[in-house]
Amino acid sequence: MSGISNSTNLEKNTISYSKLLGKTLTKIADDYSFECITAAMGIGTGLEEYYKKYQNRYIDVGIAEEHAVTYGAGLAADGKMPVIAIYSTFMQRAYDCILHDFALQKLPGLFCMDRSGLVGNDGPTHHGVFDIAYLRCIPNLSIATPRNAELLQNLLYTAQLGLDHPLAIRYPRGYSQINDLKFKLKKIKLGKGQCLKKGKRYAVLSIGTLAQTIEIALTRVEKPETFAHYDLGFVIPLDTKMLHEVFTKYE
């Protein structure tokens, strides 16, 4: 489950994942044609900077998540790249539209699932804890779980280069570990995990920003060399080649 930061100093000095989304989309919008859609969450999802610069490529449909997704599917069918930015917990209102209007049609689109995981003081209605369960059974849909700011940026960049199916990206409410945005963007291969640390006996598998906590924890165990650490990167598709390696080499 994606985590959140509770550090006051970290919040003051680093960029939130929501701001990261908006600033990255604004940066690459000149070169790539896409449309941003939200459902009364423009500020919460960090899109205010994008809206000010690209008002003709932004629409807030109000509290109508189903309409946001179906409208995005219409744009995709017309050859555009829709970016639908909605809190994870409220995206479930549009479940039927994700399935029928996007996935079964294999339409390209980007679902930016803000506040995935626990959200602290926002309360139980805002916890994004169901998205993996309700999305992973949908055919033709990929679910990405970037572990840091750089991977989130690269996923946005990769999506704008072209998709042949819908992609959901889940990221937490909270702050990244960067205070200065860099735009050295590169295309990444969807569905690929990464070995972050080799080990001798056991392997820890993680998704999302929890990887950062695990990396710290593995420096504090009695025998760090015992443990390997793998970041799956995606819930769907799973990197089966990497998993075969893990299950062959580790207990």
Side-chain angles (χ1 to χ4, degrees):
M1 186 178 297
S2 295
I4 62 173
S5 167
N6 293 314
S7 167
T8 302
N9 289 332
L10 184 60
E11 293 182 10
K12 285 182 178 178
N13 296 320
T14 66
I15 299 170
S16 71
Y17 283 100
S18 301
K19 291 285 186 184
L20 181 75
L21 174 82
K23 287 181 176 295
T24 303
L25 290 174
T26 303
K27 177 70 174 179
I28 64 178
D30 282 341
D31 297 322
Y32 301 98
S33 178
F34 57 87
E35 309 271 340
C36 283
I37 308 164
T38 191
M41 302 167 217
I43 294 176
T45 55
L47 294 179
E48 60 266 41
E49 184 176 333
Y50 178 91
Y51 165 74
K52 290 176 182 176
K53 189 173 181 181
Y54 301 104
Q55 293 187 31
N56 62 330
R57 290 160 58 185
Y58 170 92
I59 184 170
D60 186 337
V61 301
I63 305 176
E65 290 82 359
E66 302 95 322
H67 176 46
V69 173
T70 301
Y71 176 72
L75 290 175
D78 194 39
K80 297 180 175 62
M81 173 59 73
V83 178
I84 304 166
I86 294 178
Y87 295 179
S88 164
T89 188
F90 299 132
M91 189 71 85
Q92 60 205 33
R93 292 173 176 165
Y95 181 84
D96 187 59
C97 307
I98 296 171
L99 173 60
H100 286 277
D101 298 334
F102 262 100
L104 292 184
Q105 316 301 326
K106 289 187 177 180
L107 289 173
L110 194 57
F111 298 102
C112 295
M113 313 278 286
D114 201 303
R115 287 160 169 75
S116 291
L118 300 178
V119 297
N121 291 335
D122 282 356
T125 60
H126 284 57
H127 289 323
V129 295
F130 300 110
D131 52 17
I132 290 177
Y134 73 73
L135 288 176
R136 68 186 301 271
C137 59
I138 294 180
N140 306 320
L141 174 72
S142 292
I143 307 172
T145 56
R147 69 177 182 273
N148 57 30
E150 180 184 4
L151 284 172
L152 174 55
Q153 288 185 291
N154 285 336
L155 280 165
L156 297 173
Y157 175 72
T158 300
Q160 304 316 317
L161 295 178
L163 294 172
D164 59 3
H165 66 286
L167 168 65
I169 306 177
R170 66 187 310 271
Y171 49 93
R173 173 186 182 270
Y175 291 78
S176 66
Q177 294 182 321
I178 61 172
N179 53 26
D180 182 25
L181 274 181
K182 301 186 186 310
F183 293 99
K184 296 181 179 179
L185 306 176
K186 62 181 180 180
K187 184 178 181 180
I188 58 177
K189 188 172 182 179
L190 301 184
K192 296 295 292 182
Q194 184 178 0
C195 177
L196 303 179
K197 178 182 178 299
K198 294 186 180 296
K200 294 182 178 180
R201 189 171 183 183
Y202 303 113
V204 180
L205 302 176
S206 66
I207 60 170
T209 56
L210 187 62
Q212 298 169 30
T213 304
I214 291 172
E215 286 180 313
I216 295 171
L218 292 183
T219 66
R220 298 176 179 174
V221 297
E222 185 175 346
K223 294 181 179 180
E225 69 277 4
T226 304
F227 297 91
H229 181 199
Y230 288 79
D231 171 30
L232 287 174
F234 287 77
V235 175
I236 290 180
L238 287 173
D239 188 344
T240 54
K241 182 178 179 180
M242 187 182 78
L243 289 174
H244 280 300
E245 175 188 329
V246 172
F247 298 147
T248 301
K249 292 178 64 175
Y250 300 101
E251 293 183 34

